[in-house]
Amino acid sequence: MSEMICDRRLKKIRVFRLLFLVVIFLCASVFLCACGYSKEEKQHRQEIMETGRENVTDYVEEKYGFTPEIEKIVVCEDWDAFTFESYSSGYVLAVVHAEDGGDSFRVHISGEERTTKGRDDFQHGQIMADGKAYFSRMTGYEIYDIALQYTEKGATDYSYLGGEEDNLLSEIYEPGSFETFLQEHPMNVRIDDCLNQDLTGLEETNPDMMAFLQEYTGNWGMEAILISWQSEEDYEKAFSHDYGRNGLQDFEIWKDGLYINSYAAFTEGNMLGSRFERQEYDGMIFTCSDQVNGKDLKITTDQNVWQDLGETRGTPLSEVYCVRRDGRGEVEVYIPADQFYGYGAGSAVFIQHFDDGKWWQYETGVEKTNDKQFVCFTYHGWSNGNTFDFAVFR
């Protein structure tokens, strides 16, 4: 079962990465070609903009009973995968607000013809408030933060990846009807608490919540992730609060292993979750998902000799650290920033590991934590390697 879940996760990650690259290429192409529209195309876009502006006003007046003030309006783009060109989709996306200066919201509507059929996120705040109250009752604990990503009835997972169409609805949401809303709309849910809980035992601690998440992720198109941070301070230090977005429940969550106690992700009726193990060694902190009884990680120095493979020059500036873990998966290493930069300008972390009958070496990318206290890097445990060495070179 766990292998099937992992396969689905890997497929989603591959799809996300592919679409991400397409989006990046699209943005670059639009940027390079924006000034190259033909006279006819410019005229067509202007007509879409003007018709769309009128449609936005009529749509809001008919649906909500007030005349909106339009802050911004843009022509939406589609992408031709065969010609590698962008073109107008015929729709506009407008940012508007009520005449009395109320909160802004978005309207998505056609600009090709006069119509009052569109979508908007005017009620997103109400839906979020109802969702937080609903899940607070169900979890039985204080929810620190919540994120909901939904779309129109009957949409597939891939519709989430458009970004600009998230949380836009053509219908009017009836306040207090959140459970019905859940059953009618595919939704990604992220629930954060700062109570330092172990969520891997959810089946025992909150069987009703467990049953609900299994049913709704199995039958109603929901995907959900619960995250328990060690504290509010740790939540604020996190690399990301986008877990669960686009159905990528725990994508790169290991990077926040220093701050998260545990998480529980649900997809297609199945739960995948873990606690994070943390160990300190020589001033550094090592984290990984907690998979076995006792310590998953064993950290030593100078157990292995740094191999002369031509990837590095001279002797290491640091000790050669050997990390062995029981089980598979990522290991995140946090080096105190002053310790790392104390090695001098141009310092870099290199990894070596033995796999497929030979040694491999490579420089690994490092990042600063948001609070600038640590420099960190990830060992992904590719192939069969669950032991690796690292050292600092210049």
Side-chain angles (χ1 to χ4, degrees):
M1 182 66 73
S2 62
E3 292 180 358
M4 293 174 61
I5 296 173
C6 289
D7 287 343
R8 287 194 291 267
R9 290 170 58 212
L10 288 173
K11 288 178 182 177
K12 284 187 176 183
I13 290 172
R14 293 189 188 108
V15 169
F16 177 79
R17 286 174 172 167
L18 176 60
L19 290 175
F20 178 76
L21 291 174
V22 170
V23 170
I24 292 298
F25 187 79
L26 170 61
C27 292
S29 299
V30 170
F31 176 77
L32 292 173
C33 300
C35 297
Y37 294 134
S38 66
K39 182 178 179 180
E40 292 78 12
E41 176 65 13
K42 289 180 180 179
Q43 178 63 31
H44 181 53
R45 286 171 176 267
Q46 184 61 35
E47 291 170 356
I48 290 174
M49 186 85 74
E50 292 173 357
T51 302
R53 183 180 294 274
E54 294 176 353
N55 288 344
V56 167
T57 299
D58 292 348
Y59 167 82
V60 175
E61 287 179 342
E62 179 178 298
K63 187 174 183 180
Y64 296 115
F66 64 84
T67 301
E69 292 187 357
I70 299 176
E71 296 179 8
K72 179 182 179 181
I73 186 168
V74 296
V75 176
C76 298
E77 302 268 349
D78 275 340
W79 173 252
D80 189 322
F82 296 99
T83 63
F84 297 103
E85 295 179 350
S86 63
Y87 60 93
S88 167
S89 69
Y91 285 81
V92 297
L93 186 68
V95 177
V96 306
H97 59 79
E99 289 180 323
D100 61 3
D103 293 339
S104 62
F105 61 98
R106 299 175 301 154
V107 176
H108 182 264
I109 200 166
S110 174
E112 293 277 13
E113 59 183 359
R114 296 288 278 123
T115 183
T116 56
K117 293 182 179 180
R119 297 180 294 167
D120 67 272
D121 61 359
F122 178 64
Q123 293 181 287
H124 181 61
Q126 177 69 61
I127 294 169
M128 288 289 292
D130 284 1
K132 186 171 184 178
Y134 182 87
F135 285 115
S136 292
R137 290 191 297 270
M138 183 170 294
T139 59
Y141 56 75
E142 179 185 0
I143 292 175
Y144 186 75
D145 195 13
I146 187 170
L148 307 178
Q149 184 188 22
Y150 51 84
T151 187
E152 293 275 57
K153 296 178 183 180
T156 64
D157 288 343
Y158 295 109
S159 66
Y160 290 119
L161 298 175
E164 68 180 22
E165 298 185 15
D166 286 351
N167 306 331
L168 296 174
L169 300 175
S170 57
E171 78 224 56
I172 291 182
Y173 170 75
E174 182 67 31
S177 63
F178 186 75
E179 185 165 346
T180 301
F181 187 80
L182 274 179
Q183 296 174 359
E184 295 178 341
H185 296 264
M187 184 181 298
N188 294 325
V189 180
R190 192 199 75 242
I191 297 173
D192 298 289
D193 74 74
C194 298
L195 303 175
N196 202 28
Q197 299 185 90
D198 181 0
L199 296 172
T200 61
L202 190 65
E203 187 171 11
E204 289 75 32
T205 60
N206 194 338
D208 291 341
M209 181 72 171
M210 180 77 175
F212 168 85
L213 291 171
Q214 287 178 321
E215 177 189 354
Y216 274 70
T217 60
N219 301 324
W220 299 106
M222 178 196 285
E223 303 222 1
I225 183 168
L226 314 180
I227 304 175
S228 187
W229 302 81
Q230 295 178 104
S231 66
E232 294 181 13
E233 182 182 13
D234 285 304
Y235 174 90
E236 299 302 331
K237 291 178 180 179
F239 272 107
S240 174
H241 293 300
D242 289 337
Y243 302 117
R245 186 170 178 81
N246 300 327
L248 298 171
Q249 299 300 75
D250 58 353
F251 182 62
E252 292 193 338
I253 200 168
W254 56 79
K255 292 171 65 175
D256 280 325
L258 183 59
Y259 313 117
I260 294 173
N261 180 308
S262 65
Y263 70 93
F266 290 82
T267 183
E268 297 183 10
N270 299 300
M271 172 180 155
L272 179 68
S274 181
R275 297 177 300 272
F276 280 99
E277 174 181 313
R278 283 170 289 278
Q279 287 191 41
E280 185 172 349
Y281 186 91
D282 199 17
M284 297 176 287
I285 301 175
F286 298 74
T287 70
C288 69
S289 59
D290 191 5
Q291 298 179 359
V292 300
N293 292 327
K295 293 184 176 180
D296 289 54
L297 299 175
K298 181 180 179 181
I299 306 142
T300 56
T301 53
D302 296 324
Q303 179 171 325
N304 291 325
V305 175
W306 193 264
Q307 304 296 310
D308 185 10
L309 305 181
E311 298 293 334
T312 55
R313 293 180 298 177
T315 58
L317 301 175
S318 68
E319 301 278 4
V320 177
Y321 297 94
C322 178
V323 183
R324 178 186 299 275
R325 75 161 297 172
D326 291 325
R328 301 292 301 278
E330 286 77 14
V331 176
E332 193 76 10
V333 180
Y334 300 83
I335 306 172
D338 55 357
Q339 179 177 335
F340 178 76
Y341 293 115
Y343 292 115
S347 297
V349 175
F350 279 80
I351 286 176
Q352 72 172 11
H353 65 93
F354 190 81
D355 186 43
D356 198 24
K358 63 178 181 179
W359 285 96
W360 303 79
Q361 287 179 354
Y362 57 91
E363 181 181 351
T364 187
V366 298
E367 297 181 82
K368 285 184 181 179
T369 56
N370 286 337
D371 63 2
K372 313 301 182 187
Q373 297 300 304
F374 295 93
V375 169
C376 60
F377 68 90
T378 307
Y379 176 71
H380 292 277
W382 303 121
S383 187
N384 296 318
N386 60 357
T387 300
F388 69 99
D389 304 324
F390 74 91
V392 178
F393 288 83
R394 188 167 56 240

